Amino acid sequence: MAIIGIPAGWPADEGAALDLQRRLRGRLVLDEDGPPAGEGRVTGLDVAYDDERDLVAAAAVVLDARTLEVVEEATAVGRVSFPYVPGLLAFREIPTVLAALDGLAADPGLLVCDGYGIAHPRGFGLASHLGVLTGRPAIGVAKKPFTATGAEPGPRRGDSAPLLADGEEVGRALRTRTGVKPVYVSAGHRVSLATALAHTLALTPRYRVPETTRRADSLCRRALAEALAAG
């Protein structure tokens, strides 16, 4: 597998990344409901890193939203494209994630990111960033909260509690399994929070995290291992 290089003109420092993030945020669309849960296709996106070799592997796994069966999957391996800066992690991953998406023949439908949408310090996490760049509806489903705070949701599956940033609701802590830790859901682009919550519940029939994330996580780890083995 070819290693993807860092794109020409990609932000090289924090100031340039912040400036681009602010400009892209102006294109964010948050007044659409988005595709209904359980219909069409959903695509899970995830990455795995090898810090010693400065590599990142990305996976895109397309599922049928009704059956949760795999329709297609694609991977890409690239150079880490930005230093580690909290709140700017998208800049480390996006070139390789976009390459994985470009490897799909199927329409990916809704993008489901293992991370944040607007539940982000500047309201523009990975799901929002990818949504704007691709024009596709996107949501973020994270395993832990970032900067937003809120109460613990009730103990049963489907219980949720607002995630607040400066008093504004930017997402929800959602219980996907009774008695299990919640996940943290936020709208990314062209999807409402209510639709994002409905999709997350539809994608978690058995486990805490969405099937999209589980499958993409496994696939990107395999892709990274194969790239490392190939030298």
Side-chain angles (χ1 to χ4, degrees):
M1 179 182 291
I3 304 298
I4 298 163
I6 299 172
W10 194 249
D13 57 49
E14 186 172 350
L18 286 169
D19 180 63
L20 179 57
Q21 192 178 68
R22 280 191 292 267
R23 286 188 280 119
L24 289 175
R25 192 181 186 283
R27 294 161 51 186
L28 200 57
V29 175
L30 297 173
D31 60 355
E32 295 183 12
D33 287 338
E39 298 181 17
R41 290 172 177 164
V42 289
T43 294
L45 301 164
D46 204 2
V47 299
Y49 288 96
D50 184 282
D51 292 325
E52 290 185 3
R53 303 195 192 186
D54 206 31
L55 292 178
V56 57
V61 181
V62 185
L63 302 184
D64 180 290
R66 182 178 62 83
T67 65
L68 302 186
E69 293 179 354
V70 176
V71 174
E72 189 183 2
E73 54 189 33
T75 61
V77 178
R79 297 293 173 192
V80 175
S81 51
F82 196 79
Y84 175 81
V85 179
L88 295 174
L89 298 188
F91 289 93
R92 292 168 61 82
E93 304 173 1
I94 277 181
T96 309
V97 172
L98 289 176
L101 278 170
D102 286 344
L104 297 171
D107 185 332
L110 174 78
L111 306 183
V112 183
C113 299
D114 180 19
Y116 309 95
I118 64 169
H120 173 274
R122 288 171 295 280
F124 201 74
L126 175 64
S128 297
H129 202 140
L130 276 173
V132 166
L133 289 181
T134 63
R136 296 190 175 278
I139 66 172
V141 184
K143 299 180 186 73
K144 58 181 69 174
F146 190 10
T147 56
T149 60
E152 186 79 1
R156 304 187 69 81
R157 171 175 164 83
D159 289 343
S160 68
L163 289 175
L164 303 175
D166 298 324
E168 178 183 354
E169 184 175 22
V170 293
R172 289 227 157 209
L174 175 67
R175 195 84 64 186
T176 55
R177 308 297 303 160
T178 296
V180 174
K181 290 189 298 184
V183 295
Y184 300 88
V185 181
S186 53
H189 181 62
R190 298 183 57 199
V191 181
S192 68
L193 178 56
T195 300
L197 292 167
H199 275 285
T200 304
L201 286 173
L203 290 167
T204 52
R206 297 179 59 196
Y207 299 100
R208 175 187 174 229
V209 299
E211 284 298 301
T212 40
T213 299
R214 292 182 66 249
R215 293 174 185 268
D217 173 76
S218 176
L219 183 59
C220 69
R221 291 177 188 275
R222 290 202 307 271
L224 181 62
E226 290 169 4
L228 295 175

